[in-house]
Amino acid sequence: MLLLGIETSCDETAAAVVRDGREVLSNVLSTQVPIHRKYGGVVPELACRQHVAVISNVVCAAMDKAKIDFQDLSGIAVTQGPGLMGALLVGLSYAKALAYRHHLRLIGVHHLEGHIAAVHLENRIVHLPAVALVVSGGHTMLYYVPVHGPLKSLGQSVDDAAGEAFDKGAKMMGLSYPGGPAIDRIARTGDPTRLTFPRPCLNHDSLDMSFSGLKTSLRYYLERSGFPSASDVNTPDVAAAFQQAIVDVLVEKTLSAADRRRVRTVFVTGGVAANTVLRRQLTEICKERGLQLKIPSPGYCTDNGAMIAAAGYFRMNGRKESSLAMSPQATLAMSETGFTGG
Ligand code: KG4
Ligand code: ZN
């Protein structure tokens, strides 16, 4: 089954063709990072204008690279939400028009469902049940993924998402947008042990997390140190310590979730799952504990069209389709009938 996946929920215009939810035939992405960088964050109006400007080329490039025609497709999967309303509207309208014109089935996909489905890409064999950490710019969620039936939420950030903490922390340190990759890069030359930032919620019984206190603690540290003029602030060390605090919370809560649910498989997805230290630390600990760790390749952790096509495939298998009347949803709860990908 060949599906075209379209993703425009935030600042990437992406399209991909995926066979049977696992084999990526093409994956095309037009990033808006250079447009938003000078504002230090995503400007919604600019984001939707840019989606309008490039969506046609991105979709055509994905079809060309996959060497297929629209008649070869079994359907089109598109991100319905959550995300920026105007940005979602561009992808959804484009997908509807294509589906109507070529008589194709249309599947609306929850963005986080897409991130979770990315664990199947590149033909990975995945064993369920699992716990899934979805960690992006807008969400930090822990789910139980059963063999059949809906996902169950186990915990989440009660304030900032981990990606948001990376982005805001980087801004405070004078690093470029997006902050996650900037911190990841600069922290490689830093020592994470010279400073200690708080690990909020680590000792609590709940699987919820919190990152806004960590951000405040960074701000106080920088203010106390007279940053940016003071010469004794070592940005690589600060970035490494800040990153380590976020990673420790994510790793601890994820392992604790796996323990409590007695599962042997752990999924980690979303933009922050591209983080080098998070990947390394989880790989080591999961190996020690005999857990099967599934983290997509970094390019499939951040927003992409292939993950939407994969989620669409599992929805279609579950006989779930959408109608042309579907509308974009800036806030969208994970479907009750949700995805399992089993
Ligand atoms: O999933 P994603 O591409 O978009 C959303 O759905 O939000 O995630 C974007 C987030 C941003 O906050 C970005 O700073 C973070 O993922 N990110 C990273 C890394 N690459 C992207 N955070 C830490 N380390 C990275 N290497
Ligand atoms: Zn995302």
Side-chain angles (χ1 to χ4, degrees), residues 111 115 136 303 307:
H111 183 75
H115 275 304
S136 70
D303 291 349
M307 69 184 200

Side-chain angles (χ1 to χ4, degrees), residues 133-136 138-142 155-157 160-162 209 211 250:
L133 171 70
V134 188
V135 68
S136 70
H139 297 87
T140 299
M141 304 284 308
L142 269 168
Q156 60 184 299
S157 173
D160 292 353
M209 296 159 259
F211 296 102
L250 295 175

Side-chain angles (χ1 to χ4, degrees), residues 127-131 144-147 261-267:
H127 299 294
L128 295 178
V131 294
Y144 173 69
V145 188
V147 180
R261 303 304 302 205
R262 294 196 168 81
V263 301
R264 310 304 307 159
T265 307
V266 172
F267 298 168

Side-chain angles (χ1 to χ4, degrees), residues 7 9-12 82 111-112 115 134-139 161-168 170 177-185 188 243 246-247 269-279 298 300-304 307:
E7 154 63 38
S9 66
C10 191
D11 59 348
E12 317 279 9
H111 183 75
L112 299 189
H115 275 304
V134 188
V135 68
S136 70
H139 297 87
E164 198 178 345
F166 270 111
D167 293 337
K168 289 178 177 168
Y177 170 85
I183 289 182
D184 196 345
R185 256 191 318 276
R188 280 174 209 164
Q243 170 175 262
I246 297 175
V247 167
T269 70
V272 178
N275 184 268
T276 322
V277 174
L278 178 64
R279 297 174 80 89
Y300 294 125
C301 286
T302 44
D303 291 349
N304 64 86
M307 69 184 200

